[in-house]
Amino acid sequence: MSGAPGGRRPPFPGLPGERVLEEAAGARRRRGNGGGSVPGTLLCTNRRLAFVPGQAPGPRGLLRSEDEVALPCIHKLVAASSFSKPKVLTAASTLKFIPEELAVFCRDFRLLRFSFPENGLAPQAFRVANAIAQAREAAARLGDAADGWASPGEAIPEEEEEEEEEDEGSSTTLLFESLRDWEEELQRLGAAGWRVSAVNERFDMAPSLPQYLWVPSGLLDHDLKRTFGHFQERRVPRLCWHHPGGGDLLRAASFHPASEPGSEDVRCLEELLLGGRGPCVLADTAELPTLADIQLAHLRLRALCLPGAVAEDKWLSALEGTRWLDHVRSCLRKAAEVASLLAGKRCSVILQEASDRDLNCLLASLVQLLGDPHARSLPGFQSLVQREWVAAGHPFPRRLGLLCQDSPREEAPVFLLFLDCTWQLLWQFPAHFGFTEAFLLALHDSSFSPDCSTFRFSCQRQRGRSSLPRLPSQTYRPMGGWQEPGGHRGHPKPCSFPPVWAWGRRYSRQQREQFRNPAGPPGPAGPPTPSTPAEPRLWGEPRLVLALAKGSLCPHPLPWWSRPPQRPPLWGSPSGSQGTLGGLLGTSCQPPPGLLLPCTAGPCVRLWHRCYLRALPQEQRGRLAPSLAGLTEELQLLQERLRACNLRRPH
């Protein structure tokens, strides 16, 4: 660890395995336009860039604050000098001047500026700038990323253990890494006719799927194995959520183009897809933005939200040109259609995407946020992300661009798009959510930190392989099935990295208190209970399969059917004054109790100011201040506006 000159700075309170590479004592952090600067020490560690204001760094180090940024979160590093042009620093670049200012452009829309006064800081400024560029690339390498991170044998400091024990959100969150978690959630949903299958317990049927799946009770594992090869990446249909009115939400990959099932395979496939549950509706992602669309819109939005990016009178048109809000709107609209379908009709809806690992995660999560009050509680939302994103195999490192060897074409922040959609719902229905904007911001920013297992791996199988020390090969017991030596079937293997929900490791108690919405529901809720019985099935044909496209339903034969089914006699395309959602809800345009139907009209979908405009401090004044100092600033701003109004009022 580099020592501070004169020993004026106490030891940096790093996390287990963290070490300081370079530091510049006496650097100053700029606080925005006209906000002045704060003196302190700029440190580059093997895990983050941290600015410690003043002389004392405080009792413990937090991974996320306004003065810290994880290395993978750094999008661009620019050094500037009054004698040279600004230079973008990379590990391969050569810095040929002493930087007077360092600008850190972050993937989470922050812009950090540090200056180095002319008081003997030149060597330190040069070294710390190069160290950041080198460490940023090293942290992005898959082989080097694990270097210096906490290993399973490293104990968490006692004060952090105590705080984690008191973190209710973490303790009640289901991680879906054990058989018990899947059984507990299935029981909460009250999904009769479904069971937990351990057919993929060794990840030999589908490597990217979780160990445990919810499948029809009448389908044996022996028959279930026949269905995997007929879907892309062997990702078979399985239950995501059960509506108490009788509707089931499933998700799956697309049918494999080379699939030619025999008669016995067809029987197993139809039992999995239909299972005597009435009509089946296939909802694909054709109407949603592609991964390339999402990535392009996000890049445009990030460029727009930098100081001086565009003239003020052209800012709104430029925002519209990014298409980001259009993508948010289309995702909310599609999720509302599916949620209305499940609430208004007794049918199964199967979300189908080519890979089943991106937009299916987003849609399945949004549908449950709209229809299940439990998913809108803090622990319920965390469990939802664990099941539909983490356990389901969303490739976080590739989509968030955390690994330098990944192709840029694979980057697409689908999870960040989901968080924006969630914020829109929170803004429109604040009393229905048990968490706050501060929680969503913390989750948004934590997604770029590779210190937690949640976003570090692409699937449950990869996450399990990171556990050290490695255990011997599995053994088979006739009564217990496949077991790990020294472990018990159904219990999760320990992972080297904690989940993101262990907020006590990175956020203070005061910060975590801001995660809970005092005006929201009193606590975790159960599944929605409809006040009136669900409508009876409208079609007598149990093998009826429909496709949902642009709010309309039309017959859609399965690939192995020789002739298409007839059109449903009592339910065609929504038309007339009911509109799309009215047609999907059936006889009433009013949503049933517990179902949220967001407005997706132009002005109803707003820009998430507190997230995207953080590089523009002047735009943040008076916007839902999350702290006492912020509330004081907001009060002062309101008083100024009130005085201005009083001056304009005629006497």
Side-chain angles (χ1 to χ4, degrees):
M1 177 180 295
S2 301
R8 291 174 295 174
R9 181 181 61 79
F12 179 65
L15 295 157
E18 185 175 21
R19 62 183 184 274
V20 175
L21 304 177
E22 285 293 346
E23 64 180 80
R28 303 186 72 90
R29 162 83 192 277
R30 288 179 53 182
R31 294 295 187 184
N33 297 335
S37 61
V38 178
T41 302
L42 179 62
L43 302 107
C44 173
T45 78
N46 59 323
R47 300 174 63 167
R48 54 180 164 168
L49 176 65
F51 179 76
V52 182
Q55 297 297 326
R60 51 192 296 256
L62 297 175
L63 284 182
R64 166 67 181 91
S65 75
E66 290 304 315
D67 295 319
E68 296 175 317
V69 57
L71 292 175
C73 186
I74 299 177
H75 172 64
K76 185 169 62 173
L77 190 66
V78 179
S81 170
S82 55
F83 303 102
S84 179
K85 294 181 179 180
K87 181 177 180 59
V88 177
L89 299 182
T90 65
S93 64
T94 302
L95 186 60
K96 297 182 179 180
F97 60 87
I98 301 298
E100 297 175 2
E101 183 178 276
L102 202 59
V104 183
F105 296 82
C106 305
R107 295 175 182 270
D108 60 8
F109 287 80
R110 287 185 295 156
L111 172 58
L112 308 181
R113 293 184 181 274
F114 304 98
S115 60
F116 307 98
E118 295 181 4
N119 55 354
L121 271 183
Q124 297 181 51
F126 185 84
R127 289 197 303 266
V128 77
N130 282 300
I132 296 170
Q134 297 285 342
R136 170 184 168 231
E137 183 165 319
R141 296 184 183 278
L142 184 62
D144 297 336
D147 180 47
W149 298 91
S151 66
E154 289 186 277
I156 301 173
E158 293 182 4
E159 59 178 331
E160 295 188 14
E161 286 182 345
E162 293 175 1
E163 288 196 54
E164 285 193 60
E165 289 175 1
E166 298 175 6
D167 195 340
E168 297 177 14
S170 176
S171 61
T172 55
T173 298
L174 299 180
L175 299 181
F176 294 96
E177 295 176 348
S178 68
L179 179 64
R180 182 183 305 168
D181 286 355
W182 291 92
E183 290 177 337
E184 180 180 333
E185 180 66 7
L186 188 63
Q187 183 179 6
R188 185 192 71 83
L189 292 175
W194 296 88
R195 67 178 179 88
V196 181
S197 170
V199 69
N200 196 44
E201 195 169 28
R202 300 179 64 194
F203 303 106
D204 53 347
M205 299 307 301
S208 64
L209 281 180
Q211 290 179 291
Y212 307 103
L213 310 172
W214 289 333
V215 300
S217 301
L219 188 64
L220 301 177
D221 283 354
H222 173 75
D223 294 330
L224 180 61
K225 290 180 179 180
R226 306 179 71 102
T227 65
F228 282 87
H230 299 288
F231 294 89
Q232 299 273 27
E233 297 190 30
R234 302 178 63 84
R235 295 178 67 89
V236 295
R238 67 270 184 209
L239 180 70
C240 290
W241 179 59
H242 172 77
H243 190 279
D248 292 320
L249 178 67
L250 294 83
R251 59 182 290 183
S254 300
F255 296 109
H256 200 287
S259 170
E260 295 182 359
S263 58
E264 189 61 23
D265 287 0
V266 167
R267 179 189 66 81
C268 298
L269 285 167
E270 294 189 356
E271 175 65 25
L272 182 61
L273 291 167
L274 306 175
R277 297 183 298 274
C280 169
V281 178
L282 299 178
D284 61 27
T285 58
E287 302 166 35
L288 300 182
T290 64
L291 297 181
D293 293 336
I294 295 173
Q295 173 66 359
L296 180 60
H298 192 260
L299 289 176
R300 288 174 173 173
L301 179 64
R302 193 163 63 196
L304 177 64
C305 294
L306 292 174
V310 68
E312 186 175 352
D313 58 338
K314 298 181 180 179
W315 202 90
L316 291 179
S317 60
L319 174 62
E320 183 180 356
T322 66
R323 301 291 311 279
W324 180 259
L325 295 184
D326 289 337
H327 299 337
V328 171
R329 188 176 293 109
S330 63
C331 292
L332 288 174
R333 186 182 298 118
K334 185 74 172 185
E337 291 177 0
V338 174
S340 302
L341 196 59
L342 291 168
K345 310 289 182 183
R346 293 181 62 189
C347 63
S348 297
V349 178
I350 302 179
L351 305 177
Q352 268 202 310
E353 181 192 16
S355 67
D356 181 41
R357 301 181 69 178
D358 292 296
L359 293 172
N360 264 7
C361 300
L362 183 147
L363 267 185
S365 302
L366 284 182
V367 169
Q368 294 175 65
L369 277 179
L370 295 176
D372 190 351
H374 176 74
R376 301 193 286 267
S377 67
L378 180 58
F381 182 83
Q382 294 181 160
S383 299
L384 176 68
V385 172
Q386 277 292 137
R387 186 176 72 251
E388 300 300 342
W389 293 84
V390 181
H394 178 66
F396 284 106
R398 282 183 286 160
R399 296 295 178 254
L400 294 174
L402 300 181
L403 305 178
C404 65
Q405 66 267 40
D406 286 335
S407 168
R409 297 180 182 179
E410 296 183 316
E411 188 174 347
V414 184
F415 183 68
L416 304 186
L417 178 62
F418 163 67
L419 293 183
D420 196 321
C421 293
T422 304
W423 179 84
Q424 304 289 339
L425 298 176
L426 178 63
W427 180 78
Q428 293 191 27
F429 307 99
H432 291 265
F433 286 83
F435 51 86
T436 63
E437 182 185 34
F439 168 76
L440 290 180
L441 268 176
L443 185 55
H444 177 280
D445 296 347
S446 297
S447 63
F448 295 101
S449 298
D451 69 304
C452 58
S453 62
T454 310
F455 306 113
R456 186 180 175 86
F457 305 104
S458 295
C459 61
Q460 201 175 71
R461 177 173 178 262
Q462 188 184 88
R463 192 171 290 103
R465 284 187 169 184
S466 74
S467 303
L468 298 174
R470 302 206 178 273
L471 297 174
S473 59
Q474 294 174 313
T475 57
Y476 184 79
R477 297 181 182 178
M479 298 299 292
W482 290 97
Q483 296 187 353
E484 299 286 356
H488 187 275
R489 183 174 182 266
H491 289 271
K493 293 187 292 184
C495 184
S496 309
F497 308 93
V500 69
W501 321 120
W503 296 112
R505 292 175 62 92
R506 303 180 307 282
Y507 288 83
S508 67
R509 187 185 305 275
Q510 182 181 5
Q511 289 173 313
R512 300 200 307 273
E513 288 174 353
Q514 298 170 10
F515 291 175
R516 295 187 179 275
N517 181 13
T529 303
S531 57
T532 56
E535 292 186 16
R537 289 189 175 94
L538 298 183
W539 315 284
E541 175 58 59
R543 297 176 69 247
L544 182 62
V545 177
L546 305 169
L548 174 64
K550 298 182 179 179
S552 300
L553 296 168
C554 58
H556 186 88
L558 295 175
W560 51 86
W561 285 359
S562 57
R563 61 185 179 88
Q566 296 181 351
R567 190 175 183 83
L570 298 180
W571 189 12
S573 301
S575 61
S577 60
Q578 283 185 319
T580 301
L581 293 183
L584 294 178
L585 285 171
T587 58
S588 174
C589 291
Q590 295 296 324
L595 177 63
L596 305 181
L597 292 182
C599 175
T600 58
C604 294
V605 177
R606 300 163 58 95
L607 181 70
W608 189 1
H609 286 85
R610 185 160 289 280
C611 180
Y612 302 139
L613 298 184
R614 283 183 283 184
L616 307 174
Q618 68 275 16
E619 295 293 331
Q620 292 289 351
R621 291 191 65 204
R623 295 188 182 276
L624 303 176
S627 63
L628 182 60
L631 288 172
T632 303
E633 181 186 52
E634 183 173 355
L635 179 59
Q636 292 173 350
L637 180 63
L638 292 174
Q639 290 173 341
E640 292 173 6
R641 291 177 178 175
L642 182 60
R643 283 194 295 269
C645 290
N646 290 334
L647 291 175
R648 290 194 298 266
R649 182 182 301 171
H651 296 285

